[in-house]
Every structure is written in structure tokens, then in C-alpha cells.
Amino acid sequence: MHQNQTKYNYKRSNMLKIKNLHASVEGEEILKGINLEINPGEVHAIMGPNGSGKSTLASVIAGNEDFEVTDGDILFEKSNISELSPDERAHKGIFLSFQYPVEIPGVSVTNFIKTSINQVRKSRGQEDMPANEMLKKIREKSALLEMDRKFLSRSLNDGFSGGEKKRNEIFQMAMLEPKLAILDETDSGLDIDALRIVSEGVNRLRTNENATLVITHYQRLLDYIVPDVVHVLLDGKIVKTGDKELAKELEERGYDWLKEESTAKV
Amino acid sequence: MSLKDKLISSFLAFEENIDLENDIHTQRDSAIKYFENTGFPTKKDEAWKYTSLNSILKEDYSIFPKKEFALDYKDVKKYFIHDIDTYTIVFVDGIYSSHLSSTTHDKFDACLMSSALNKAKYKSIIDTYFNKATPEDSLVSLNTAFTREGAYIRVPKNVAAEKPVQIINFSTGSETALMVQPRNLIIAEDGSQLQIIERHQSLTDNAVLTNSVTEVFVGKNANVDYYKIQNDKTSASLIDSTYVKQDRDSVASVHTFSLGGKLTRNNLNFYQNGENINSILKGVTILEDKQHVDHNTLVHHQQPNCESHQDYKGIFSDKSVGVFNGKVYVDKIAQKTDAYQSNNNILIDDTSTCNSKPQLEIFADDVKCSHGCTIGQLDNEALYYLQTRGIPYKEARALLMFAFANNVLDSVKIPEIKKRITKQIALKIGVELGFDL
Ligand SMILES: Nc1ncnc2c1ncn2[C@@H]1O[C@H](COP(=O)(O)OP(=O)(O)OP(=O)(O)O)[C@@H](O)[C@H]1O
Ligand SMILES: [Mg+2]
């Protein structure tokens, strides 16, 4: 096992534990036995070639019913969440920043985030957040991400540029304060300044209690959000796990050497 | 006896009770003849292809209610937009109810069609406007033949009506089946402004058939906003024919909220008689339980440099039927026309159906005309996205349905109406919403 992982293991039990996860879509197996453990306070990165299954893994953790889990378990804070709907998983504190956020014309960002927060509170038996508290929080978090206030009254993602959509995803994350945030290629589409602002936002939200799983193709993001553990996903399997140096190695060498290694193993 | 025969023989009795000296007697006479020749429309008529009147014409309707029925305001208050100050013109079983109404003659006239038709001082206006915006049509003719009561509103030049006018037609069910034929005449003179709210409401489960005709004249530079709230019982059917005639530089909008009723047919027609006219036609239709709504619109661009915007949204479930037939005519002279039409529909289940038929006839060459219609289901990806934000399936669906209808509500200028419709939609979807739109 790798040092970074063991280093944190003694602290407390896993936040997320994925055991031998197999998932398929339309009869085709995409995830072919994933094992992954993430502890509170950790940042994990998943890298891997296009089509290797990174977004699929993120979707399956978030509860997307388009994917059928054919084997294995997903444990979140020790309880099996495989049967839970996406909203129930969100209530438990799982958040997915989408690679391709969905456009929803007719719902303003503000009304959407209010609904979202109050539904999460409701699931925990709490009252709606008082309006002034909500407003204050929206101000604070949109400032954190240096978001233009005019986005808040616009329809959700409707006509947003690629980068604006990503920033809006992290704004939602900041509002919801999840335990586990999965960021699927949040860096793609962001300009250089936006990448810094969004990364700093993510870092500012980090605590010893929450964890982050970043999916990315580029070292650049990992310069800002420094991972404790890096995994390489290849054809539906995690073929290598290492520390942040692994990401740098991938940047230099690409994935071919790992493909050879993994076929050689078989 | 068929309803047609019954109507024709009733006409004789009706004529006996009214003043034969009146000029409109001849109009009534030729109207009933036209109806006698044409009869009710059938599915063979192109414009009625998807809507059959057969089932509603079977009832044995009373043409004239036998007795007046007094309603208590407190029992019907909820059907009024009562949280804002308005003038009201209220009819109960087709008969004017003075104690439920508050009419005016101060800055403008908001009163009764019967007085406009019978009093000498209105004669020149009636001669100029009455039955002048309507084309030859069997249902309009039938209404003209029996024209007796309705709302008469006239806003003089450069006057802005200081409050909206509500026109409410109640039917009480004192007859087992009742047919009513309201006739409204609305004149907004040059530079005037007017807002109207209209509602037809049945109070029992007895059958009602309303054949309503409204003529709206919008003068130069005038502005008229018309809101039609259709949220009736499943025993009530409505055929609404509204004709809007606009002069240059005017803006007129009609919003139609079709949230309930057995069968509703909206014939909504705009005629642009000058340059720089804007015509706005918007509709939200949410149906279930075998209800049927047919929007049949026409915008006739007869002059250059005008706009029209049509936006109709429908959500259908549980054996309900939606029809949209949108005609846009652009005359050869009407260069630089900008005509937009969109009709989007969501079928919640596979028992409901929807027919959408745009019909564009464009004879000018320098125009911008766009139209689009979609029939689909709720976007599953959007549902999933909302769920990942902790919004449960049912609430996510409601949010999406709202979102879908929202841009139609966006252009509603009276906040109380917007609130009311939002609430009614929430009620229909069966969800308590924690947000305002
Ligand atoms: N809904 C779907 N239907 C069919 N195939 C799918 C579906 N979703 C994903 N796939 C397939 O599963 C495989 C993995 O896709 P996934 O989106 O997880 O890749 P990824 O690793 O995120 O790639 P990228 O780096 O390009 O984002 C791909 O071959 C993709 O075509
Ligand atoms: Mg992906």
C-alpha cells in the first residue's frame, strides 16, 4: 500500500469505501472491479485516458440510474448506499460537480440553490434556512468564487459559457458544504485566472472532516489542489495508485507504459 | 331535437322579447341564418380536425335560464382576483349580477353590453365596432344571433384605466344543463391602456356550454393586456372566440391559462392594421383526467414592420389531449415582419396526446419568421442533475414543470395573477414549493 493512504488510515474509518465495483450501461461493462478508499481530510485524484470510465465512476457514486451496478458495494460512512437515490446520497453529503453541467432554463440559480439547501435541510429534519441567512450565505459564497452577482438571477446554466458553468458548480458545492465532493474535470473550460480562483475556493472549503475526489487530465489543477493520492483508471480498472509524483510522471510519459504494464500482468 | 334545431326555434322566442326596432336586429337575423346554413363545426372542417364537439352537443341545454340565482360574495370570493383593487363585471348564468359587480363610468366605461346595445348614447359606437372584428363563422354567428349580455369596456383616448377589469361568468347549475353566450366588446382608444382578467367558472357538476365571443379594438399607440383564466370543472366546456384588431404602434397581449375544463377551444385572432404593431399570444396548458384544450391562433400581418410573439406551453397527463394550431399570415405588403411562434409540450404519460400544427403563409420576401414545436418528456438528465443537489424526484419534476412554464409567466404584468397561477400550477402538480418564480 502507498504511504499516503496508510498515513491517514489510523485517524478514523473510511468515508468512502468502494469494493470490487462493476457497472455497466446498456449491457456493456464499463467499470470492471474498482476498489477505492477515501478518508476524511484527503484529496484523491483520478486520472486516465478518455473513455476509461472516470465519469462513469463519478456517476455511479452519485447514484445515476442509467448505470447498472452488477457487482460490488459502495459504502459511505460505513453504510451501503447502493440502493439510495441520487437525492438521498446528496442528503448524506455526496456532491458531484458535473463534467457537463445540465442547462435548466426557467429556474434561476438563486431559486435553485434555495430549493436545494432547504430540501437537504428537510431531509435532516431541519426547518428552512431563514431568508436573511440564506442571502448572507449566497453573498459570501459567490464572493469566494468571485462570481458576478448577475449570474444568480439567470436561468441555471442556460447559455452559460463552459467556464461559467464550472464556476457555478463549485458555487453550489460551496453552498451545500458536502462531506465528499467529486469534481469531474472542473478544470476543463476554465481560463487561467478562473482556474486559480476556483481552486482556491475548493481549498478554502477543505477541512479535516471532508474529502475531495478530483478527476482531471492535467497536472495544472493538481498544482493548486494538491492530492494525497493519485489513481490511474484504465479500461474500467484502477491500474496504479501513487502519490502526487505519479501525476507528474503521467504528464511526462502518458498512459502507454501503464497499458503495457497492465496487459503484461494479465 | 338537436341542439341546432333547438337553438333555431329558441331564436324566435328570443326575438319576441327584444326590441325589433334596434339596428342590430338585422344583424341577429342574418347571423341565425348563417348558423342555420352552416351548423356546428365538425371534424371535417380543417380547423376542427382534432376537436370534436359531438360529446358536448348531446346535452339538452337550457338556452335561457328560468330563474335568477343570487350568489353570496363570500362563497365565490376565491374566484376573484381579490387582493388587488379592480372593477368587476359579473354574470351569473348569463345574467348580470349587480351586487357582485363594481362597474364604472368615471374615467372610462366598464359596464354592460346590454346597456351599450340598447341606450341611444352608445349607438354610434355600437355601429362602428359591434361585430366588426369578426369573420364569418358559425359559432360567432350563433353568438351574434343571441347577443344580449356581456362586458362593454371603452377607454377613451389617452386614458390609462386605473385598475384592471375582471369579467367573471359564473354558472350555478340551477339548470341541469345550461348554454350561455356572453358577448364582450372592448375598445381601447388611441393612446389608452387597459388590463383585463376573464374567467368562466361553474359552481356545480351540471353541464355548461359557453360560447363566448369577444371583440377587442386597440387604437393607435394603445396597450391592452388580457388574461384568461380557464380553470373550470370537468363538466364545463368553453368555446372562446376572441378577435383583436390593432392599429399602428399598439401593443396587445393575451395570456391564456388553461388549467381545467372538459373541453376548451380558444380561437384567438389578431389582425394588424398598421405599422409597428406588437402582438403577444401566450399560453400555459396543464391538463389531466381526459380534459381537452385546443388553441387555434391566427396572427394576420397586414402591414410592414410589425412583430408577433406566440409562445404556448402544454403539460399533459392521464388521457388528456392538447391541440395547437397556429396560423401566421404575412401579406405581401407586410415587409420586415418579425413573427415568432413556439409550441412546446410535455407528455407525462403515454395515455395523453398532443397535436401541434404550425401553419405559416408568407407572401412577403423580407421577413423574419420562426416557428418550432416540440413534444417530449421531462428531461431525465435535468431530473438527475436536480436530484444530485438533494432535490427529491417529485420536487425535481415539479421544479422542471415550473421551469418549463416559467417564461410564459414571465411576461405577466400583474404580480397577483402571476402568484395565483404559480400557486394553481403547484396545486395541480401536487407539490408544496419552497421557491417563488
Ligand atoms: N450512457 C451511456 N451509454 C453508452 N455508453 C456510455 C454511456 N456513458 C458512458 N458510456 C461509455 O462508457 C465509457 C466510459 O465513459 P466515461 O464518460 O466514464 O469516460 P471518461 O473516463 O470520463 O472519459 P473522458 O476523459 O473523455 O471524460 C465510454 O466508452 C463511453 O462511451
Ligand atoms: Mg469524463
Side-chain angles (χ1 to χ4, degrees):
Chain A
M1 263 282 128
H2 287 270
Q3 274 194 333
N4 283 60
Q5 234 169 341
T6 45
K7 190 171 89 191
Y8 286 89
N9 265 348
Y10 65 88
K11 273 193 178 170
R12 55 175 83 92
S13 61
N14 301 136
M15 174 182 281
L16 181 74
K17 183 168 182 156
I18 295 177
K19 290 190 291 196
N20 188 32
L21 182 68
H22 290 253
S24 48
V25 62
E26 286 161 14
E28 194 186 331
E29 185 163 72
I30 312 286
L31 300 183
K32 302 172 179 172
I34 303 265
N35 293 293
L36 181 66
E37 291 177 15
I38 300 178
N39 299 310
E42 291 179 354
V43 174
H44 287 229
I46 292 187
M47 304 182 80
N50 295 132
S52 56
K54 303 181 297 297
S55 295
T56 302
L57 176 61
S59 299
V60 171
I61 299 171
N64 188 336
E65 280 149 21
D66 289 349
F67 299 92
E68 195 196 344
V69 174
T70 51
D71 199 4
D73 285 319
I74 306 174
L75 303 176
F76 186 74
E77 295 184 323
K78 286 187 180 153
S79 70
N80 195 328
I81 58 166
S82 302
E83 296 300 317
L84 298 186
S85 61
D87 47 298
E88 289 167 329
R89 297 183 198 207
H91 298 160
K92 285 192 172 292
I94 296 175
F95 178 87
L96 170 60
S97 168
F98 280 57
Q99 182 174 1
Y100 305 107
V102 184
E103 299 195 4
I104 306 188
V107 184
S108 73
V109 172
T110 307
N111 277 330
F112 164 68
I113 202 67
K114 278 186 197 165
T115 309
S116 169
I117 290 216
N118 284 331
Q119 287 294 342
V120 172
R121 290 171 71 98
K122 193 172 163 191
S123 76
R124 295 171 185 162
Q126 296 168 318
E127 295 285 301
D128 279 2
M129 184 180 278
N132 55 349
E133 198 182 317
M134 180 78 78
L135 208 67
K136 193 168 154 257
K137 189 163 182 172
I138 289 176
R139 281 217 192 99
E140 190 186 302
K141 302 301 181 184
S142 57
L144 174 73
L145 292 158
E146 298 183 29
M147 245 170 95
D148 196 329
R149 294 287 302 281
K150 72 172 190 278
F151 281 104
L152 299 173
S153 54
R154 276 177 62 178
S155 277
L156 186 57
N157 295 326
D158 188 20
F160 283 25
S161 75
E164 288 162 355
K165 284 180 185 165
K166 294 303 175 67
R167 199 186 292 226
N168 184 36
E169 292 289 284
I170 302 305
F171 166 69
Q172 293 170 36
M173 170 186 159
M175 289 295 294
L176 286 164
E177 300 174 293
K179 288 180 185 157
L180 173 67
I182 305 165
L183 311 183
D184 190 356
E185 293 198 28
T186 299
D187 50 340
S188 71
L190 290 177
D191 66 43
I192 296 157
D193 292 332
L195 179 67
R196 179 181 44 79
I197 294 161
V198 166
S199 307
E200 280 170 5
V202 171
N203 285 334
R204 213 90 69 81
L205 296 167
R206 285 180 60 186
T207 67
N208 287 330
E209 310 293 319
N210 60 27
T212 315
L213 177 61
V214 290
I215 295 170
T216 184
H217 287 293
Y218 304 107
Q219 174 58 37
R220 206 180 43 189
L221 176 71
L222 304 181
D223 288 339
Y224 289 109
I225 306 172
V226 181
D228 301 298
V229 187
V230 176
H231 309 273
V232 180
L233 190 63
L234 209 69
D235 191 24
K237 275 177 275 191
I238 290 179
V239 296
K240 200 166 184 70
T241 295
D243 59 16
K244 62 180 195 261
E245 298 307 319
L246 175 57
K248 288 179 183 147
E249 192 175 357
L250 291 170
E251 183 109 318
E252 271 171 36
R253 296 179 66 187
Y255 295 108
D256 282 349
W257 61 285
L258 283 167
K259 284 180 191 163
E260 281 154 25
E261 240 175 54
S262 69
T263 43
K265 259 190 246 168
V266 178
Chain B
M1 191 164 37
S2 75
L3 182 59
K4 181 184 168 187
D5 294 341
K6 186 173 181 177
L7 283 160
I8 291 164
S9 59
S10 303
F11 181 73
L12 300 170
F14 174 70
E15 281 281 79
E16 271 171 26
N17 290 326
I18 54 173
D19 181 8
L20 290 178
E21 298 306 303
N22 197 312
D23 280 352
I24 70 157
H25 167 72
T26 40
Q27 293 196 47
R28 285 195 175 111
D29 221 32
S30 57
I32 197 73
K33 287 198 179 103
Y34 187 87
F35 175 72
E36 194 170 356
N37 287 330
T38 51
F40 286 103
T42 68
K43 284 185 121 173
K44 289 197 193 99
D45 297 287
E46 187 57 30
W48 290 83
K49 199 169 159 187
Y50 299 109
T51 299
S52 165
L53 293 175
N54 285 346
S55 69
I56 58 170
L57 297 181
K58 280 198 311 252
E59 300 281 347
D60 185 21
Y61 294 105
S62 300
I63 313 297
F64 311 111
K66 287 178 199 73
K67 53 177 188 279
E68 282 191 48
F69 201 97
L71 289 176
D72 247 340
Y73 178 65
K74 67 170 173 22
D75 296 330
V76 291
K77 184 180 171 197
K78 63 178 175 195
Y79 301 116
F80 290 72
I81 303 286
H82 51 74
D83 29 20
I84 50 169
D85 208 7
T86 62
Y87 292 112
T88 52
I89 309 173
V90 181
F91 305 96
V92 177
D93 296 334
I95 296 165
Y96 174 62
S97 163
S98 60
H99 81 279
L100 291 177
S101 300
S102 80
T103 57
T104 183
H105 292 290
D106 291 348
K107 292 188 181 138
F108 70 105
D109 290 319
C111 57
L112 298 183
M113 193 66 185
S114 55
S115 29
L117 288 172
N118 296 314
K119 286 186 184 160
K121 66 171 176 175
Y122 297 108
K123 187 178 179 310
S124 72
I125 289 171
I126 293 296
D127 288 347
T128 313
Y129 294 105
F130 177 74
N131 215 23
K132 295 297 187 287
T134 52
E136 287 202 320
D137 176 273
S138 65
L139 290 162
V140 172
S141 297
L142 179 61
N143 179 288
T144 303
F146 286 92
T147 292
R148 179 167 56 175
E149 197 54 286
Y152 169 81
I153 302 169
R154 179 177 151 264
V155 189
K157 210 170 160 173
N158 296 329
V159 170
E162 74 279 16
K163 329 175 193 176
V165 181
Q166 296 195 64
I167 307 168
I168 305 182
N169 298 277
F170 288 113
S171 42
T172 61
S174 63
E175 308 280 341
T176 40
L178 177 69
M179 180 169 181
V180 284
Q181 304 203 60
R183 176 73 173 228
N184 305 314
L185 178 60
I186 293 154
I187 302 154
E189 293 185 354
D190 297 351
S192 68
Q193 288 176 41
L194 176 64
Q195 294 179 314
I196 301 160
I197 303 156
E198 179 195 272
R199 178 165 196 151
H200 301 271
Q201 188 62 50
S202 172
L203 302 172
T204 67
D205 292 328
N206 285 350
V208 184
L209 171 58
T210 303
N211 178 36
S212 174
V213 173
T214 302
E215 293 178 90
V216 186
F217 295 87
V218 187
K220 290 174 197 131
N221 220 5
N223 189 342
V224 174
D225 296 314
Y226 205 130
Y227 302 97
K228 292 172 181 278
I229 301 174
Q230 303 172 342
N231 192 12
D232 215 339
K233 298 197 173 259
T234 48
S235 51
S237 295
L238 169 67
I239 301 163
D240 178 325
S241 302
T242 296
Y243 301 88
V244 184
K245 209 165 170 175
Q246 290 182 256
D247 279 348
R248 71 168 163 80
D249 302 310
S250 65
V251 182
S253 72
V254 175
H255 288 74
T256 309
F257 307 109
S258 309
L259 306 174
K262 181 185 167 84
L263 183 150
T264 307
R265 163 78 174 212
N266 288 299
N267 297 315
L268 180 56
N269 306 272
F270 279 74
Y271 305 97
Q272 297 183 333
N273 284 318
E275 294 199 36
N276 298 316
I277 288 171
N278 192 359
S279 307
I280 297 153
L281 299 79
K282 301 217 171 190
V284 181
T285 306
I286 303 181
L287 297 185
E288 65 282 303
D289 193 16
K290 298 187 194 131
Q291 298 177 92
H292 182 117
V293 169
D294 180 345
H295 292 289
N296 194 80
T297 67
L298 163 73
V299 179
H300 194 161
H301 290 272
Q302 308 177 113
Q303 293 293 328
N305 299 314
C306 294
E307 292 171 42
S308 65
H309 298 270
Q310 296 191 58
D311 191 356
Y312 282 80
K313 302 271 171 108
I315 301 175
F316 304 95
S317 64
D318 191 16
K319 301 191 180 115
S320 63
V321 179
V323 182
F324 177 79
N325 188 355
K327 293 190 278 297
V328 176
Y329 296 157
V330 182
D331 289 353
K332 195 165 179 191
I333 175 182
Q335 298 294 359
K336 304 276 180 207
T337 290
D338 184 351
Y340 171 85
Q341 183 187 79
S342 125
N343 173 231
N344 301 301
N345 303 288
I346 291 177
L347 300 179
I348 295 296
D349 54 44
D350 54 15
T351 64
S352 44
T353 55
C354 178
N355 293 291
S356 180
K357 189 173 141 205
Q359 213 175 314
L360 277 64
E361 292 184 22
I362 300 162
F363 298 100
D365 45 24
D366 184 14
V367 299
K368 208 170 105 192
C369 292
S370 61
H371 72 93
C373 65
T374 57
I375 299 174
Q377 274 88 36
L378 283 178
D379 181 356
N380 273 328
E381 226 189 313
L383 269 173
Y384 164 60
Y385 184 74
L386 295 175
Q387 282 184 280
T388 63
R389 278 17 177 187
I391 304 171
Y393 183 74
K394 204 172 152 211
E395 280 75 12
R397 273 175 61 116
L399 188 55
L400 287 182
M401 287 192 224
F402 262 92
F404 177 73
N406 189 31
N407 62 348
V408 177
L409 296 178
D410 255 2
S411 52
V412 173
K413 288 189 203 134
I414 305 175
E416 288 70 20
I417 294 188
K418 193 169 166 172
K419 242 194 275 173
R420 172 82 70 110
I421 300 298
T422 304
K423 237 170 143 175
Q424 268 160 4
I425 294 174
L427 211 67
K428 280 189 80 96
I429 295 167
V431 162
E432 196 69 50
L433 291 157
F435 56 89
D436 319 301
L437 286 173

